[in-house]
Amino acid sequence: NLQLENSLLSKNQEDQLVAYIGLTDIHSGLDNIEQAKSFSKLAKLFLKKNPDPFLEIYALFAETRIFDRQKDTQLSLETMNKALTIAQENNFEGLVISSRANLADYLFISERYSEATKQALLTLSDAQQSGFKSKAQQAHLLLSKIYAAKHEFKKALLHSQSANQLSEDLSGEKVRQLAEITRIDRQMMETEEQLKNAQQQHQILSLNLEKQKQNQMIWLVSIGIIFVIVFFLYYRVASKKEIVRQQMANIRLKELDGIKDRILKNTSHELRTPLNGIIGLSDVLLQEPENTLSQKNVELIQLIKSSGEQLAQVINDILEMSKLKSRNVTIIKSHFELSELINDVVIVCSPLADKKNIQLIFQSAKTPQNIIQDRTRLQQILFNIIGNAIKFTDQGSIRIKTQITSDNLQIKVIDTGIGIPRDKMARVFEGFEQVDSSNTRNNQGSGLGLAISRDLASAMGGVLKLNSELGKGTIVTINLPVTLNIHSTLKS
């Protein structure tokens, strides 16, 4: 609000008009109707003197919000019709779609369902042709409401499903944007490595020049000696400038890296709150009595919940990755029985393996294996590794083997899955990376599981290693330091 009021003092006429429109919109939202009307009037007077069809449409949008707050649907319809006419006359494609979508909303509120249907269908057609997915989703949602109000539930359901699909597509695009941020981060790291190599080359060159100077001092006369000294001093100054430049570049890279981390954290936190709301509301709806919702609606709600949980898991993985990268992770050690922990993980993962007819095999030790380590973090690592093994194994088995010495625990997860090419082995430990990173890959996921597991193992004082052969399977080995609660070495 303060920024817009400052814009009123600008000498740029367009900035002043934008400020009037923005202040109209803000005061409407705050229910300061009289102030909103005064700014709307100023915007109209300004446009009368300085016509601008593009900004006039936005001024009409803002004026419509005043009528909407006053519950004057008729004036809202008239104003939105005027905005649509101006947008069509000037071929403002995006504003035509927005105006028509708003007009359809007000027609629906007025219960003029036939006209609302016509405008919503036109909005949907234009949005699909122009590639405006968010407006297409809005049109589908409105059509779903209209057909539901007209008791045409089959059509309402079809449009609701289309809206949900577009919602998933838009969510997928956001995840791909996060993946693009990670790709940029990797390029920055490569650039930093190149800068380090360049610095080393400069150091080598400096040593070579020093040697040349010493040789020249032997064979050259005093004039040659003076020339070498002058040249060396010049080079020292240039080298210092280059080193300072590289140091500044390194500082800038670290700042950009910090900005990227903050963007990831803030974006993840902002997404988590509405997602938790979606998942919670879906649970509430699913707990309704069976005769309240149709089977189709139950399936749609379950789809909404499943999609929300999947995206929530991606967000949780991003936050976990950010904590690990900033070394802001706490390791809490406790006594627990190893076989019992692994059996718990196997029980949870077994339904996923059963769906693919895969054997998930773990033979508990005959003697209790009581150890001291971070139970929660070890369980998280096992869920990630075994879940990955099930995801990328289509037939055969997954075996879990353990071996404990006096101060070390080794866990192996051996699958008969698709395997990993040798040239992709290093990249699977990077965030948002999978062996198949195309849009048509069979196995969906954020690609953070292995990266998080490796960093957690490192934080626990251990290592995670990967051995794989394409088409034959993969072996993931976890080595962790432990304290035994028994004296003998146990093997299973």
Side-chain angles (χ1 to χ4, degrees), residues 342-359:
I342 298 176
N343 278 322
D344 289 345
V345 176
V346 169
I347 289 170
V348 174
C349 294
S350 289
L352 297 175
D354 292 341
K355 285 183 181 180
K356 300 179 76 174
N357 293 321
I358 300 167
Q359 287 184 303

Side-chain angles (χ1 to χ4, degrees), residues 83-239:
L84 176 60
T85 302
I86 296 171
Q88 289 173 330
E89 289 174 351
N90 291 274
N91 294 320
F92 296 148
E93 184 180 14
L95 291 177
V96 168
I97 295 172
S98 296
S99 301
R100 187 168 277 132
N102 294 336
L103 180 61
D105 277 330
Y106 287 118
L107 288 168
F108 173 70
I109 294 170
S110 303
E111 298 185 358
R112 294 160 64 174
Y113 297 138
S114 178
E115 296 176 60
T117 303
K118 178 181 177 181
Q119 293 298 334
L121 287 171
L122 287 170
T123 300
L124 178 60
S125 175
D126 291 346
Q128 288 173 338
Q129 289 178 4
S130 303
F132 296 155
K133 290 186 179 181
S134 60
K135 288 298 178 183
Q137 181 194 18
Q138 181 183 348
H140 277 302
L141 288 172
L142 180 58
L143 286 166
S144 177
K145 292 179 184 177
I146 294 171
Y147 286 125
K150 294 165 67 176
H151 302 291
E152 298 181 29
F153 298 111
K154 186 175 181 180
K155 291 181 179 180
L157 179 60
L158 289 173
H159 284 288
S160 178
Q161 289 173 334
S162 299
N164 288 337
Q165 183 60 52
L166 284 170
S167 178
E168 290 181 10
D169 293 344
L170 291 169
S171 297
E173 289 176 2
K174 290 180 180 177
V175 172
R176 284 192 289 274
Q177 288 173 358
L178 290 174
E180 180 64 14
I181 291 174
T182 302
R183 184 186 67 80
I184 294 170
D185 179 56
R186 186 171 64 250
Q187 290 178 345
M188 288 168 58
M189 292 176 65
E190 291 172 354
T191 302
E192 186 176 359
E193 186 64 29
Q194 291 173 357
L195 286 171
K196 288 180 180 178
N197 291 335
Q199 189 173 4
Q200 290 175 353
Q201 291 296 324
H202 277 102
Q203 291 174 348
I204 293 171
L205 179 59
S206 179
L207 291 173
N208 288 335
L209 288 172
E210 181 70 22
K211 186 177 180 180
Q212 290 175 7
K213 188 194 76 167
Q214 292 173 354
N215 292 332
Q216 288 171 353
M217 288 178 65
I218 298 172
W219 298 102
L220 296 177
V221 293
S222 57
I223 296 176
I225 294 173
I226 294 172
F227 173 80
V228 170
I229 292 173
V230 171
F231 177 81
F232 177 73
L233 291 174
Y234 170 80
Y235 178 78
R236 284 286 299 273
V237 172
S239 296

Side-chain angles (χ1 to χ4, degrees), residues 321-339:
M321 194 72 178
S322 180
K323 287 181 181 178
L324 288 166
K325 188 172 182 182
S326 62
R327 303 185 185 277
N328 189 23
V329 61
T330 303
I331 302 300
I332 303 174
K333 294 186 178 182
S334 62
H335 291 81
F336 63 92
E337 207 283 310
L338 178 63
S339 296

Side-chain angles (χ1 to χ4, degrees), residues 274-284 304-310 312:
L275 273 176
N276 288 337
I278 291 170
I279 295 168
L281 289 173
S282 300
D283 279 330
V284 171
I304 292 170
K305 180 184 176 185
S306 174
S307 300
E309 288 174 341
Q310 183 179 358

